[in-house]
Amino acid sequence: MASEFKLLDIYEQNLNFLIGAGASYGFLPTLALEAKDEIGNKYTFETLAKKYESNEQATKLLFMLYYQECIRDGLPKVFSSIPPNPNRTPEQESVVHEYKRFLSNLINVLNRQKPSERRANIFTTNYDNCFETATEELLSERAAKFIVNDGSVGFQKRTFHTSNFNHRVVNKGAFDRHDTLLPQVNLLHAHGSVHWEQGQSDNEINLNYGQSSYIIIFEQNELDIIRAFKGLLYDSTKSLSDIEDFLRSCDFSNLRLDYFWDKYTSIPIVNPTKWKFHETLFEEAYYQILRHLSYELERPNSVLITFGFSFADEHLLSLIRRALSNPSLTMYVSCFNNDELISMQDKFKDYSNVGYICSEEGDLDFKHFNDAKFTLDNYDRKSVRQDSIEPTPPSFLSSEVAPYGGEQ
């Protein structure tokens, strides 16, 4: 088993992160449900979708609920970049705040790396725009010099391609006296993105951070059925027989199932089932991102840190297991509680280069991860190699991002 997670031991390596729904808990629900199956296990959207994959009406109703609960509020909207945002609830504001803290901590870590490096990759399976929102607000606050590369180029029309993740930005001093690579975070949506749109040509993906093209409006009678279905699935006293009774009694004629499905399947995301993209263009981008992840994990002295990710995605689980054959790769899996720790230890029991990030003080939520695990607060200046410190470094003894400074 890998050694105990110590950020000071790995901060100079090739840093990669895999971020799942657990990081956005409070902004959007996770895939977990409360209703139980035949043997008493709680359903998830994934397992229930698999259960009813041959029942077209039940499947479409389930994804109506999934869209309403797990996708709609994460769609890009026109928002103010200055917090607090009046369009966000206090709970959502707290989630975005933790994303900002995570990015701030990461920039502080990258500023400790060699000037020729200072790069990290974040792979996220989430459909929300929390990373994009947090980045926008940090940049508007001018708190630090850094770049977040979303794989796109352009101005009014931004075009996406994974080859763009190889781009770097150099800060040239006055009179070209020095060149410094800016800290860069590559942001890759491993399950597709609600920001992707089909471009004018057949092989072009555009990024849209304005008003979403994927907003679906339900009629009141549809909302009534969706809410009743939600009340059933989020009730821990309900079981499979209750779900079956509901589906038998449901008046599906009050639902515009085909209208919804046509719109829903145009969203370029991987559903929580084994279904593939309906557009070859988006499917190609998805596999390019997986190849990019595989390539990064094959590099020497690489680290993969996961948070809020259940490894229910069989493609990603298989890819990472193959990558763990790289003896210089170390993976640290963040575990929310002891039950998840046991589950993860079983998944990776055959790999000696896997470690686990846990909390002895309670559940490891995103706040606690930022407070106690992914931070340099726990290390004093003497413990950092002196040759990694710049003449006027930003403070890394704060959970906030380093002050904005230097030449423009």
Side-chain angles (χ1 to χ4, degrees):
M1 181 182 296
S3 60
E4 179 184 356
F5 176 77
K6 292 181 180 179
L7 183 55
L8 192 63
D9 293 340
I10 55 94
Y11 76 101
E12 288 188 300
Q13 299 186 35
N14 173 35
L15 294 178
N16 300 275
F17 300 85
L18 180 56
I19 306 297
S24 296
Y25 181 70
F27 193 95
L28 293 173
T30 66
L31 299 182
L33 302 172
E34 292 295 323
K36 298 179 178 64
D37 62 16
E38 301 96 319
I39 59 175
N41 294 324
K42 291 182 179 180
Y43 279 112
T44 66
F45 275 104
E46 295 161 314
T47 57
L48 202 57
K50 185 175 182 180
K51 173 76 176 176
Y52 288 106
E53 60 186 349
S54 61
N55 185 328
E56 182 178 341
Q57 290 182 323
T59 294
K60 292 178 180 179
L61 173 58
L62 180 64
F63 277 94
M64 281 182 160
L65 173 60
Y66 179 69
Y67 172 87
Q68 187 73 3
E69 290 295 302
C70 299
I71 296 179
R72 184 179 60 87
D73 286 346
L75 294 175
K77 303 177 180 68
V78 177
F79 59 84
S80 168
S81 63
I82 306 300
N85 187 312
N87 295 323
R88 297 199 293 254
T89 66
E91 193 172 27
Q92 290 175 330
E93 197 71 49
S94 176
V95 172
V96 173
H97 176 69
E98 292 306 323
Y99 271 88
K100 291 170 67 175
R101 290 185 63 213
F102 172 76
L103 287 172
S104 299
N105 290 339
L106 178 55
I107 299 307
N108 281 334
V109 169
L110 295 181
N111 275 322
R112 304 278 66 75
Q113 292 185 345
K114 297 176 182 178
S116 60
E117 300 295 334
R118 296 181 180 174
R119 183 189 68 103
N121 300 294
I122 297 177
F123 298 86
T124 177
T125 56
N126 296 343
Y127 305 143
D128 59 59
N129 58 355
C130 288
F131 271 118
E132 289 83 356
T133 300
T135 298
E136 183 80 9
E137 294 183 1
L138 283 175
L139 291 173
S140 71
E141 295 163 10
R142 298 176 65 84
K145 282 185 175 181
F146 70 100
I147 297 294
V148 171
N149 183 352
D150 62 2
S152 67
V153 294
F155 291 96
Q156 293 186 8
K157 183 180 78 171
R158 300 191 63 82
T159 303
F160 172 87
H161 197 279
T162 51
S163 63
N164 296 327
F165 288 113
N166 297 321
H167 296 174
R168 296 297 303 270
V169 176
V170 176
N171 182 27
K172 300 181 73 68
F175 309 112
D176 293 338
R177 287 182 298 184
H178 65 267
D179 294 345
T180 303
L181 285 170
L182 289 179
Q184 176 167 312
V185 177
N186 289 333
L187 179 61
L188 301 96
H189 284 271
H191 276 178
S193 174
V194 294
H195 301 292
W196 291 355
E197 293 181 351
Q198 172 74 55
Q200 292 181 346
S201 64
D202 291 338
N203 61 349
E204 181 180 275
I205 296 176
N206 294 336
L207 262 70
N208 173 21
Y209 289 118
Q211 190 69 33
S212 175
S213 300
Y214 306 120
I215 295 176
I216 303 173
I217 304 298
F218 293 119
E219 296 177 348
Q220 186 58 51
N221 56 346
E222 293 175 316
L223 288 173
D224 291 341
I225 295 174
I226 292 170
R227 287 167 183 162
F229 196 35
K230 173 186 175 181
L232 171 65
L233 297 185
Y234 284 91
D235 187 339
S236 61
T237 67
K238 302 302 182 182
S239 64
L240 176 62
S241 61
D242 297 302
I243 298 173
E244 297 282 1
D245 289 342
F246 180 90
L247 294 175
R248 279 193 293 267
S249 63
C250 180
D251 187 355
F252 285 98
S253 65
N254 285 322
L255 299 172
R256 296 170 297 162
L257 295 178
D258 292 339
Y259 162 81
F260 164 76
W261 201 243
D262 286 343
K263 286 187 168 294
Y264 179 79
T265 53
S266 71
I267 306 175
I269 56 176
V270 175
N271 280 298
T273 63
K274 295 182 180 179
W275 300 340
K276 296 182 178 180
F277 283 114
H278 287 243
E279 294 287 343
T280 303
L281 173 64
F282 297 128
E283 187 173 22
E284 180 182 352
Y286 165 64
Y287 284 111
Q288 286 175 348
I289 288 175
L290 294 188
R291 283 195 293 271
H292 195 87
L293 172 60
S294 179
Y295 168 76
E296 289 295 335
L297 299 186
E298 290 293 333
R299 292 178 60 193
N301 301 316
S302 292
V303 171
L304 175 64
I305 301 171
T306 76
F307 183 87
F309 188 69
S310 67
F311 287 95
D313 184 308
E314 294 181 5
H315 281 106
L316 282 172
L317 177 60
S318 177
L319 183 154
I320 289 170
R321 281 175 170 165
R322 289 196 302 271
L324 286 169
S325 63
N326 173 11
S328 68
L329 168 66
T330 303
M331 181 171 74
Y332 293 97
V333 181
S334 299
C335 302
F336 181 68
N337 54 28
N338 192 60
D339 289 343
E340 186 170 28
L341 171 62
I342 294 171
S343 173
M344 293 301 168
Q345 287 176 328
D346 182 62
K347 278 185 170 66
F348 298 105
K349 60 186 177 184
D350 297 327
Y351 303 92
S352 61
N353 49 345
V354 177
Y356 303 91
I357 305 175
C358 309
S359 171
E360 297 178 356
E361 303 170 8
D363 296 336
L364 184 65
D365 59 14
F366 207 16
K367 182 179 186 305
H368 186 56
F369 179 80
N370 287 328
D371 284 341
K373 304 300 179 180
F374 191 66
T375 176
L376 288 170
D377 286 5
N378 300 329
Y379 308 102
D380 58 29
R381 181 177 288 273
K382 293 180 181 179
S383 63
V384 180
R385 289 196 307 106
Q386 292 301 307
D387 62 359
S388 73
I389 301 178
E390 299 179 45
T392 56
S395 170
F396 62 90
L397 298 180
S398 167
S399 61
E400 299 302 320
V401 78
Y404 193 100
E407 295 173 294
Q408 302 298 312

